[in-house]
Amino acid sequence: MPDPLQTLEPVTGVGLPALKNEMMLPAVLDPWAGHALYEAANLAKKVPGSKVYLVSLGQKAKLQQVMMTIAQKVSFELVAIDGPASGFTDAHEVAPALAAAIMAIPGIDKSRLLLFGGWESASRGAGATMQILGEILGITDQFEGVDEITVQDDGSFQVLERVEGGKHQVSTCAGTPAVLGWATGNLGEPRNDPQVGMANMRTVMPALQRAKPAKVAAEGVLYGRVELPKQQRNTRIVKDMPADQIAREIIEWISQK
Amino acid sequence: METILFVTSTEADGTLNRHALEALGTAVDTAVSLPGSPLVVGLFGEKIEAAANSIANCGAVRFLGVEGAEFTQARYATDAAALEMLCRASKATLVIAPATSRMARVIAGVSHRLNGRIDTHVNAIATSNDQVAITRWFYRQRMFSELTRTQRPWLLSVDSGCHTAYQGESQNVDIELLPIVLGSDHLRTKVAGFKAPSADQQTIRPDADLLFVTGAGWTKKQKDGQTHPKEAEQLILGFLRETKASLGGSKSLVDMSGEGEQVLQFMSHLNQVGQTGATPRHPKGLSTCCHGEEPHVVGWRFIRERRAVNLDPNCGWARGKADVLYVADAFEVVAKVNALLAEKHSTVNA
Ligand SMILES: Cc1cc2nc3c(=O)[nH]c(=O)nc-3n(C[C@H](O)[C@H](O)[C@H](O)COP(=O)(O)OP(=O)(O)OC[C@H]3O[C@@H](n4cnc5c(N)ncnc54)[C@H](O)[C@@H]3O)c2cc1C
């Protein structure tokens, strides 16, 4: 997705709405998906015999750009799908494309799958793709807003999911397969490791070359005009007011109903 | 013409929470504005009778329910089975649910089972000439659009704070309980309970009138060249105690707290506001020691009145993001606010 530090402006696209200069905007890995990737890699390190695949749908050129920044972070094998990573496409079309790519991974054992992803994207923020993907793959143990997984020796695992009021729901699942839509998790961003980068790049370039185009849009959806909120406020900038007076103003303001 | 299903889970005590009643308010309005479109209510949970009775007069033509001990827990497999059954039995073309964490966990998956479509985080539902259109945000509150869909059933989860909550007289209603057969596959996950910070560390208060946002500045070197983490902690906790505000944080600050630095142990990622944090709804928000960068401020979309305290007159807030920017030292201002409020409270209590 486009780097959130950029100014994003909607324009009328061909078929679906789009972003101004969308192809020029620098791309980053969707932040919550990034946390999911780091958590997956961390878990794989602890559970021998595990392997992390990163299945990603995006314009080929953008995927390549994103790989440049994340390939040095953790070990994974890329499965690339060439298609739009827009906030205006429909999860009902994205999920089948991802499912097809997952099922095509040679030797994949669906019964031992932990399907990690961001619980919501930074583009549409729907929280729909992972659930639909799980349904397509027949996985009905699903968790959303996950901040922690702890795997037990018997293969069962405990999950902490975000719920209302700053709390976590604590669940235990008997074992794989399961879908985990990650929130922030507990890990910081891994430091760059050039060796990991080199190992990853051996599979990244061929994966990008192999990337199959996916027809992903939003059939049956009719968008009205996409608008930017009127966000500009007339900011009153208060300088040189003593702290005491500011405090009184703030108290008066917060006391007003 | 549509058949509209309002569907939600019940609370542990068998009632409906405010968010659910807001979504019901939306569903009732939608049904009224589409002549000839019946409203059906679907509830699931351990017990649903009290909840159904409490909304007896919402205009629904049927009350459907899935009930049982297995539906006490918010678990994907059982909740999805219940929701699927309620949707099918109602023959709904439009399904309206609150976007609570419990409903949000399953509603998209169920839309796939029904060969329908999902839109989540809906902020408004509008109708004109029998057409239904919804409004939602894209790119994390950067832009919004109205959209319609041709496919049915169309499932919609509605955000909180977007509609007034339904209110009506209670009355006994006849509930059509739907039988549901669960296998061991439905019960592979067991919910053990909830993990919450201890009462004095419970800093997230969704119903608070004020969001108090703290930024990384609280941990930075101050004019004496030193950091003051203990003082920062006391000032922030003091402010929360005096104002009952909900605590938000910038990413920089919560990341630091997560890394176990000697600062603000009560902050976690759950407090984070912004692009990769929460987008809470409060009438007012006060930002302190936070620069107001765009990925942070998108989390303020639903904060109506905004003020900020920052030493830097050129910080992000100054550029049309806040109503008032106080160019001042937040340590001094918050200390004063706390002292004045403590004084006020002690005179009230005296
Ligand atoms: C992909 C991505 C996602 C992101 N998501 C988020 C997100 O969800 N939420 C988020 O917050 N950020 C997010 N960011 C980061 C964001 O861009 C900023 O880096 C971050 O918000 C900065 O935090 P800050 O303002 O607290 O810290 P700083 O930028 O360090 O600002 C500290 C401020 O404190 C002020 N200050 C210091 N001392 C005092 C004092 N005594 N009194 C008053 N003011 C003082 C300083 O003037 C300064 O303005 C994201 C970035 C990216 C790239």
Side-chain angles (χ1 to χ4, degrees), chain A residues 3-5 31, chain B residues 215-217 220 222 249-252 272-277 289-293 295-296 309-312 315 328-331:
Chain A
D3 187 340
L5 292 170
Chain B
K220 300 261 159 85
Q222 294 301 311
S250 72
K251 183 175 189 302
S252 302
Q272 186 185 320
V273 170
Q275 177 85 37
T276 44
C289 296
C290 166
H291 189 74
E293 264 201 47
H296 174 76
V309 182
N310 198 308
L311 285 170
D312 176 4
C315 69
D329 185 330
F331 279 80

Side-chain angles (χ1 to χ4, degrees), chain B:
Chain B
M1 216 179 81
E2 308 275 354
T3 297
I4 300 162
L5 173 69
F6 162 72
V7 64
T8 189
S9 58
T10 53
E11 295 297 287
D13 62 0
T15 61
L16 296 178
N17 64 28
R18 193 183 73 188
H19 190 167
L21 293 172
E22 290 172 1
L24 175 59
T26 310
V28 169
D29 279 2
T30 308
V32 169
S33 65
L34 292 169
S37 300
L39 173 67
V40 180
V41 164
L43 301 174
F44 65 96
E46 184 179 10
K47 290 212 164 37
I48 61 167
E49 195 184 329
N53 290 345
S54 74
I55 55 170
N57 286 300
C58 68
V61 295
R62 292 171 79 188
F63 286 81
L64 306 176
V66 171
E67 197 176 67
E70 295 86 354
F71 302 100
T72 315
Q73 302 189 336
R75 160 181 44 214
Y76 185 90
T78 41
D79 283 358
L83 181 56
E84 179 186 358
M85 185 166 253
L86 290 165
C87 291
R88 288 192 194 280
S90 68
K91 301 202 169 52
T93 54
L94 215 55
V95 177
I96 299 176
T100 54
S101 64
R102 184 164 184 181
M103 296 305 292
R105 188 185 292 106
V106 294
I107 194 165
V110 171
S111 74
H112 174 78
R113 290 187 190 180
L114 301 169
N115 197 22
R117 291 292 184 271
I118 177 72
D119 277 295
T120 61
H121 295 302
V122 171
N123 279 219
I125 303 177
T127 56
S128 76
N129 302 331
D130 265 3
Q131 281 282 327
V132 181
I134 61 135
T135 304
R136 79 185 303 284
W137 290 84
F138 295 85
Y139 291 93
R140 295 291 286 166
Q141 289 71 250
R142 299 279 179 109
M143 55 195 80
F144 62 94
S145 178
E146 211 177 63
L147 66 94
T148 64
R149 284 187 186 259
T150 54
Q151 300 99 335
R152 295 291 184 275
W154 188 10
L155 287 76
L156 303 169
S157 70
V158 183
D159 271 347
S160 69
C162 296
H163 198 283
T164 46
Y166 166 82
Q167 277 184 319
E169 290 284 306
S170 272
Q171 197 180 314
N172 286 349
V173 291
D174 290 328
I175 304 167
E176 298 171 49
L177 280 182
L178 308 175
I180 195 162
V181 182
L182 297 174
S184 55
D185 270 7
H186 287 100
L187 304 171
R188 280 174 19 102
T189 293
K190 297 206 165 27
V191 179
F194 297 94
K195 198 173 152 191
S198 61
D200 57 330
Q201 301 227 330
Q202 186 78 39
T203 56
I204 298 173
R205 301 165 180 156
D207 295 328
D209 288 334
L210 179 70
L211 175 73
F212 181 54
V213 171
T214 49
W218 284 105
T219 62
K220 300 261 159 85
K221 282 189 184 151
Q222 294 301 311
K223 49 189 178 221
D224 59 359
Q226 308 289 319
T227 62
H228 298 273
K230 269 278 151 273
E231 194 186 338
E233 186 168 311
Q234 276 162 13
L235 286 172
I236 294 167
L237 288 176
F239 186 88
L240 295 179
R241 200 169 43 241
E242 298 295 342
T243 60
K244 306 280 177 286
S246 186
L247 179 65
S250 72
K251 183 175 189 302
S252 302
L253 184 63
V254 302
D255 280 351
M256 259 186 265
S257 305
E259 282 156 21
E261 300 216 358
Q262 277 307 308
V263 286
L264 313 186
Q265 290 304 325
F266 50 92
M267 291 293 279
S268 80
H269 279 114
L270 298 181
N271 294 98
Q272 186 185 320
V273 170
Q275 177 85 37
T276 44
T279 308
R281 283 175 195 264
H282 299 275
K284 292 172 191 169
L286 178 66
S287 158
T288 50
C289 296
C290 166
H291 189 74
E293 264 201 47
E294 187 61 16
H296 174 76
V297 180
V298 292
W300 282 66
R301 185 68 72 215
F302 306 124
I303 308 294
R304 270 205 305 277
E305 295 176 32
R306 311 172 183 174
R307 296 193 181 195
V309 182
N310 198 308
L311 285 170
D312 176 4
N314 297 315
C315 69
W317 300 108
R319 285 173 238 131
K321 290 177 180 167
D323 303 310
V324 184
L325 166 67
Y326 298 103
V327 181
D329 185 330
F331 279 80
E332 289 173 18
V333 172
V334 173
K336 278 280 172 215
V337 170
N338 290 355
L340 287 169
L341 285 175
E343 205 176 292
K344 198 162 134 191
H345 292 156
S346 69
T347 24
V348 171
N349 293 336

